[in-house]
Amino acid sequence: MRSLPTRRAVLGASAAIAGSGLLAACSGGGSSMDHGSMKHAGAPAATPGGYVDPAGPEVKAAEAARKATGPLTEVKLTATATTLDLGAGRSVRSWAYGDKLPGQEVRATAGGTLALTLANNLPEATSLHWHGLALRNDMDGTPGVTQRDIAPGGSFAYKFAVPHPGTYWFHPHSGVQLDRGLYAPLIIEDPKEPLSYDKEWVVVLDDWLDGVDGATPDAVLAALRKGMGTDAGTGARPSSGAGAAGGHSGGHGGHGSGPAAGSSGGLSRLLMVGESDILGPEAGDVAYPYYLVNGRTAEDPSVFTARPGDRIRLRIINAGGDTAFRIALGGHEMTVTHTDGFPVEQVKTGALLLGMGERYDVLVTAKDGVFPLTALAEGKGQSALAVLRTGSGTAPTPATRPAELDGRPLMADQLKAAESVALPERAPDRTIPLRLTGNMARYNWAFDNKPYTPDQRYPVKAGERVRLEFNNSTRMWHPLHLHGHTFALGEGPGGARKDTAVILPGGRLTVDFDADNPGLWMLHCHNVYHSESGMMTILGYQL
């Protein structure tokens, strides 16, 4: 990886942003903020000639071939404005599925069918994307591409086969709604589960700003889009003092900060300084006031109880909008069994690093006592916390830092796919090079300098082995997510099967997948502010 200048940041326009009232709208009511050119409103765009239609016969045939003969799981869900309790006396107005954060997890059985009806009680249109599932294209939940927006007061009935077991989740694919409270775990259970364990702990990580001091994700996106000045033409933010506010700075990934210099009342949430020894000089764009595990702040964490000696399966999901998390369970070694729903050759580690959208399943054997499950906001200097209690002992505090976090955390490129799911060796039939472009100065994220429009198509054909070659020309890291497929990391056989993968600044990432799920499929950065600013495109199956 090429070396990059150290990130130093000050937001030259921060005083003007804070004084402009951009962040004053409360998310409990409707937002008048436009999502700009990235908003995918209304009916799906007309499918260009020569491409598979998301509801066409090819899609229906692929769904029939899944032969969903297992049980039908029926769920009703409501997206609504509500008050959420983050713990320690902190309540915020936001949008959520029901009145819980995360939303109530949904469980279905592999080989069966999931039927979920989403009612939209929000003040604006929404959608629902099933992150990581290889499902039928017209149920993928991408407004303007595979479905119409679900209008306020409307509903949509999703129904599709769920052939693959694993840890998944769901969230909107409408603007920056993901960075509110609209997310929940989706667990597809294996009727022939090969793992043996006593208890299961679903762990959802998040970064939170909605409703805090009047902030909303839409207002933060608007502020980011104003862009920042640059240092000496490098594309870096201009230098300034660190000015960290309210966080634990230094260590485990560098420096973090709170609101930008010149902000008023904490309204501007743009990150001043965020450097990681792994992710590089630009660890993120947003300084969140809170980081959460299962909807709770570190001052009032959620507690999971078990007995000493219990074998616990942790299903860890990063549902954040702009934050990678370095996570460890104090005093324990984790055995990694899955990533993004697919099994891997099992390895042991003290810590993991998860980009937004990534999931890991791990096994731990519980010791006797009280233990911190600490998730550091990588490069941002703060942390989230949950607690494992199996006996007596002093509860950990927000300042607790398990020793396991000191080592280099495991990432997906260190894993191999389990033999049962390894992609068979085969030369690619088609190679698609994609250059990641953009910078903080202009906030112009894109592939190949072409911001997203709904008519974009990178053609593939059913039956092909497709290779995607990503070259990151930016100073930032990006978690890349492909809808409707899993890919194998690396050019050779045996790479871990993933749907979301991190590419480092100045780095190169090659992935292969089999084109076996016809339709129009989004490919994008899972930093919600990057994707909504242009870093997404569409892979389209040709007829």
Side-chain angles (χ1 to χ4, degrees):
M1 185 178 73
R2 64 182 174 87
S3 61
L4 293 167
T6 301
R7 176 196 198 218
R8 297 286 293 165
V10 71
L11 309 178
S14 58
I17 293 169
S20 68
L22 281 174
L23 305 184
C26 176
S27 62
S31 169
S32 62
M33 303 295 297
D34 185 9
H35 300 307
S37 61
M38 295 308 108
K39 188 172 183 179
H40 347 292
T47 302
Y51 284 92
V52 169
D53 187 277
E58 298 82 5
V59 171
K60 294 176 182 177
E63 178 74 348
R66 294 185 176 104
K67 297 180 180 178
T69 57
L72 171 67
T73 301
E74 297 183 275
V75 180
K76 293 188 183 300
L77 193 69
T78 301
T80 189
T82 189
T83 298
L84 297 171
D85 176 15
L86 304 183
R90 296 186 178 100
S91 294
V92 293
R93 288 290 292 177
S94 187
W95 300 348
Y97 297 128
D99 58 358
K100 297 183 62 177
L101 186 72
Q104 179 63 46
E105 70 182 49
V106 172
R107 286 184 177 257
T109 302
T113 299
L114 176 60
L116 185 146
T117 299
L118 176 64
N120 182 14
N121 286 358
L122 301 173
E124 65 179 50
T126 191
S127 62
L128 205 159
H129 168 60
W130 310 89
H131 186 112
L133 291 188
L135 76 172
R136 59 181 297 157
N137 192 221
D138 55 355
M139 296 289 118
D140 186 53
T142 308
V145 179
T146 65
Q147 73 166 83
R148 294 178 175 85
D149 277 313
I150 308 171
S155 65
F156 190 92
Y158 294 91
K159 186 175 182 180
F160 49 86
V162 284
H164 302 299
T167 301
Y168 305 96
W169 61 301
F170 56 89
H171 58 80
H173 222 282
S174 299
V176 289
Q177 291 180 8
L178 163 63
D179 216 19
R180 297 180 189 259
L182 295 167
Y183 59 86
L186 172 63
I187 309 301
I188 308 300
E189 297 179 320
D190 191 342
K192 300 179 180 178
E193 178 58 64
L195 295 180
S196 175
Y197 49 92
D198 303 299
K199 289 198 170 186
E200 187 175 301
W201 187 7
V202 178
V203 175
V204 184
L205 312 176
D206 190 23
D207 42 20
W208 190 271
L209 60 82
D210 194 35
V212 180
D213 294 330
T216 69
D218 294 280
V220 169
L221 176 61
L224 286 166
R225 283 182 173 170
K226 286 181 175 290
M228 299 122 196
T230 63
D231 266 347
T234 64
R237 303 175 194 181
S239 59
S240 78
H248 309 281
S249 62
H252 307 300
H255 312 287
S257 83
S263 65
S264 173
L267 296 183
S268 178
R269 301 307 316 175
L270 308 190
L271 189 66
M272 280 175 55
V273 179
E275 185 173 350
S276 161
D277 55 356
I278 295 176
L279 300 179
E282 308 263 354
D285 302 338
V286 183
Y288 290 83
Y290 306 128
Y291 297 92
L292 312 177
V293 178
N294 290 345
R296 309 293 292 183
T297 63
E299 290 75 18
D300 189 5
S302 64
V303 178
F304 185 81
T305 58
R307 298 174 300 180
D310 275 352
R311 190 170 167 87
I312 305 171
R313 180 179 191 167
L314 281 71
R315 298 180 183 263
I316 307 170
I317 302 167
N318 185 353
D322 177 72
T323 305
F325 287 97
R326 184 187 301 219
I327 188 169
L329 178 61
H332 291 76
E333 189 173 53
M334 299 182 286
T335 299
V336 180
T337 64
H338 296 72
T339 182
D340 290 2
F342 278 69
V344 297
E345 293 182 1
Q346 296 184 11
V347 298
K348 297 182 183 297
T349 187
L352 293 165
L353 185 68
L354 288 83
M356 295 80 79
E358 287 192 289
R359 293 92 62 211
Y360 285 89
D361 290 22
V362 303
L363 293 174
V364 298
T365 300
K367 297 182 180 180
D368 188 3
V370 184
F371 305 96
L373 181 70
T374 300
L376 292 179
E378 183 74 11
K380 295 187 176 184
Q382 293 176 268
S383 64
L385 175 70
V387 174
L388 170 64
R389 179 178 287 277
T390 65
S392 61
T394 303
T397 72
T400 301
R401 291 293 181 270
E404 290 81 3
L405 292 170
D406 292 335
R408 190 172 181 87
L410 182 141
M411 297 177 67
D413 59 358
Q414 299 167 251
L415 298 173
K416 292 289 186 182
E419 185 178 356
S420 61
V421 299
L423 201 64
E425 188 169 6
R426 174 181 168 185
D429 301 295
R430 184 188 301 265
T431 298
I432 301 175
L434 290 159
R435 189 165 65 96
L436 282 62
T437 57
N439 57 58
M440 288 299 301
R442 294 172 140 183
Y443 219 74
N444 55 344
W445 308 110
F447 292 114
D448 297 317
N449 290 310
K450 299 174 183 176
Y452 170 73
T453 58
D455 60 351
Q456 288 178 357
R457 300 289 182 270
Y458 283 89
V460 300
K461 284 191 174 181
E464 290 183 332
R465 170 68 57 85
V466 180
R467 174 165 293 173
L468 303 176
E469 291 183 342
F470 300 102
N471 282 282
N472 185 2
S473 67
T474 80
R475 290 172 45 87
M476 294 198 75
W477 70 282
H478 303 276
L480 300 176
H481 174 52
L482 174 62
H483 289 208
H485 303 75
T486 62
F487 46 71
L489 295 182
E491 297 182 6
R497 296 288 300 275
K498 299 275 290 175
D499 55 70
T500 309
V502 168
I503 180 169
L504 297 175
R508 180 176 179 270
L509 174 68
T510 299
V511 304
D512 288 354
F513 71 93
D514 285 334
D516 56 6
N517 196 13
L520 304 177
W521 298 103
M522 298 295 296
L523 171 66
H524 62 93
C525 178
H526 219 274
N527 182 316
V528 69
Y529 297 98
H530 293 183
S531 61
E532 282 302 301
S533 296
M535 191 175 276
M536 55 185 177
T537 192
I538 298 173
L539 302 186
Y541 278 64
Q542 292 178 309
L543 293 170

